[in-house]
């Protein structure tokens, strides 16, 4: 029998038994035809590959991530995925949707069409994430219908505004959920439900949200699984306690591994989903179990019945591994075609520009002055308790603390408060909104940082300790049409230009990784203490991530879903 490719002498991962079987595999027309002992006696192969006793596992599948988190375009992202053995992903492009609305979703999907890695998209469901922020675009019910009718959509992306789902039956989010359940009853609905338990958790599941990818605890994870919710474990949830639970309990059908957000430097230096699989093995999980949680388990969740397993009729996505515990990748195949070999050159040249011209002119702001970092307060001269956003290493959650600051002649004397200033400016030219707050904890202790890479609204966010540095940092970002800038003593010490919507660059992954690494080092040099300073600062404006955040509407009490004042006059 004629086949396209015969892989001989390999240890093939059987997902159904979670074990390895010595044998051969035949591929025809991009799909597995046969797995077993038969070889050249049964098959006339156009190409033969000696597996040399290596391990053969399916291509990895990541069902929850945001390409924009790596700040690169889809083709650059695919280039990074393939060499890390990831052959299928489910991106959720709500970052670019917040900048450009439905057109942003269509453009990033268009930019994905020629990628080697398969990209099945999740529709952004929460754009904007709340009604307490200004964005460049929005996704409405009519937009969802259009995308489901015209594009390759696999699920409804994470429902983020859990407060509205629980507290406001007439909210936009609840209208979207009702529409999806009635018009598209078989569409998978992904969730974002940090810390919810008991009745609140069950109300989310009742609404149709039956997965969660946020930071897990044993209590929360057990409650979710018991209620039928699927858990997507990202690296920050891989505590010894959580991993022990996953290893010791029969829950392999109830969880998978995902990356969610991967910074460019980590992508380049450490890897992608394969890094999480390798870490799980290092923490005591059997390789067979870790592989299942990154191949067939996520495929089942997304009803991808054609992949995630090496079996007859399934897509021929696989990789050859020389060291199972280290997950050492030597070759990657996509639909039976070799797309990566560790011993061969692997290069990529981006096709720029990949987006419409106006995508490179999205920061509609004039330069700022030092006066823009002066905080006007309508209050009598006195000392007041002020809300302070406290940054915590190890988490993107913040805490609300109180600190005293003086109001003098209608100005908050924030520089004498012992805290830094956090400010945000609406950058789409819609209303000119701005808001201010105090910041402390594990953030910078001097200088300034500015960025338009601020989840999810991507307005201009500035954190600093003096107006001069803050002005320089802000204007560097404005002049670059988006990005990051770190300033100390009036000098830019690190910068990254993100001209596509203020959140993406078309530079090669290696260059972006180097600049991101420099940004992190610069922020740390100013006193930032966090495992991921960029992700930490960029979520200061995320009003669905506990507990005190900031948007152009003001300080946000996330747990209660409302804007709160900076000073407490009473």
């Amino acid at each position: 029998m004629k086949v396209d490719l015969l892989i001989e002498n390999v240890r093939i991962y059987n997902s159904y038994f979670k074990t390895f079987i010595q044998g051969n595999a035949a591929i025809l027309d991009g799909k597995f035809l046969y797995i077993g002992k038969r070889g050249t006696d049964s098959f006339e192969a156009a190409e033969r590959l000696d597996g040399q006793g290596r391990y053969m596992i399916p291509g990895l599948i990541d069902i929850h991530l945001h390409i924009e988190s790596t700040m690169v375009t889809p083709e650059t992202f695919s280039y990074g995925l393939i060499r890390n053995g990831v052959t299928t992903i489910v991106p959720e492009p709500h970052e670019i949707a917040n900048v450009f609305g439905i057109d942003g979703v269509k453009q990033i999907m268009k930019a994905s069409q020629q990628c080697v890695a398969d990209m099945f998209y999740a529709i952004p469901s929460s754009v904007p994430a709340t009604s307490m922020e200004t964005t460049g675009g929005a996704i409405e019910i009519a937009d969802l219908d259009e995308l489901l009718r015209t594009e390759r959509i696999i699920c409804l992306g994470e429902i983020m505004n859990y407060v509205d789902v629980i507290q406001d039956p007439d909210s936009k989010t609840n209208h979207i959920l009702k529409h999806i359940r009635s018009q598209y009853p078989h569409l998978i609905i992904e969730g974002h439900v940090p810390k919810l338990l008991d009745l609140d958790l069950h109300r989310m599941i009742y609404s149709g949200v039956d997965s969660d990818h946020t930071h897990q605890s044993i209590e929360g994870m057990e409650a979710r699984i018991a209620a039928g919710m699927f858990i997507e474990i990202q690296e920050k949830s891989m505590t010894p306690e959580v991993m022990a639970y996953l290893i010791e309990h029969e829950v392999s059908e109830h969880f998978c591994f995902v990356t969610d957000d991967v910074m460019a430097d980590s992508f380049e230096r450490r890897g992608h989903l394969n890094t999480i699989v390798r870490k799980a093995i290092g923490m005591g999980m059997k390789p067979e179990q870790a592989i299942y949680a990154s191949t067939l388990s996520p495929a089942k969740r997304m009803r991808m019945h054609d992949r995630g397993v090496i079996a007859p009729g399934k897509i021929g996505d696989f990789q050859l591994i020389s060291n199972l515990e280290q997950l050492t990748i030597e070759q990657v195949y996509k639909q039976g075609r070799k797309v990566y070999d560790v011993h061969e050159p692997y290069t990529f040249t981006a096709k720029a520009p990949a987006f419409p011209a106006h995508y490179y002119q999205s920061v509609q702001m004039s330069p700022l002055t030092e006066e823009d970092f002066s905080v006007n307060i309508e209050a009598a001269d006195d000392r007041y308790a002020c809300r302070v956003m406290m940054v915590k290493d190890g988490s993107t959650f913040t805490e609300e603390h109180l600190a005293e600051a003086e109001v003098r002649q209608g100005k908050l004397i924030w520089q004498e408060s012992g805290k830094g200033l956090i400010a945000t400016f609406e950058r789409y030219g819609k209303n000119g909104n701005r808001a201010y707050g105090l910041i402390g904890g594990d953030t910078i202790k001097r200088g300034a940082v500015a960025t338009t890479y601020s989840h999810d609204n991507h307005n201009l966010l500035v954190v600093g300790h003096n107006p001069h540095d803050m002005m320089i940092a802000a204007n560097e970002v404005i002049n670059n049409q988006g990005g990051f800038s770190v300033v100390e003593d009036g000098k830019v010490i690190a910068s990254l230009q993100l001209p596509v919507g203020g959140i993406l660059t078309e530079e090669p992954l290696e260059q972006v990784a180097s600049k991101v690494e420099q940004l992190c080092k610069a922020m740390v040099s100013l006193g930032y203490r966090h495992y991921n300073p960029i992700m930490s600062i960029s979520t200061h404006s995320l009003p669905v991530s506990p507990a005190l955040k900031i948007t152009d509407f003001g300080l946000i009490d996330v747990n209660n879903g409302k804007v709160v004042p900076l000073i407490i006059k009473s």
Side-chain angles (χ1 to χ4, degrees), residues 371 373-388 403-417 419-422 436-439 467 555 565-568:
E371 184 61 26
F373 300 98
S374 177
V375 183
N376 297 320
I377 298 288
E378 293 183 4
D381 289 5
D382 203 346
R383 294 189 67 81
Y384 295 90
C386 297
R387 289 183 168 87
V388 182
E404 279 200 347
E406 184 179 354
V407 172
R408 190 186 307 152
Q409 296 181 340
K411 303 284 187 182
L412 183 70
I413 312 302
W414 62 267
Q415 288 177 266
E416 298 178 8
S417 69
K419 306 297 179 185
L421 181 71
I422 182 168
Y436 303 91
L438 298 182
I439 190 166
L555 290 172
L566 169 57
I567 69 169
I568 303 173

Side-chain angles (χ1 to χ4, degrees), residues 23-59:
N24 307 320
I27 292 178
L28 178 65
D29 295 332
K31 296 181 180 180
F32 293 108
L33 170 69
Y34 172 81
I35 293 90
K37 299 296 183 182
R38 291 178 180 268
T40 53
D41 56 331
S42 300
F43 300 106
E44 181 184 340
E47 180 184 355
R48 291 173 59 190
L49 173 64
D50 182 0
Q52 301 175 338
R54 291 173 292 180
Y55 297 90
M56 181 178 179
I57 70 172

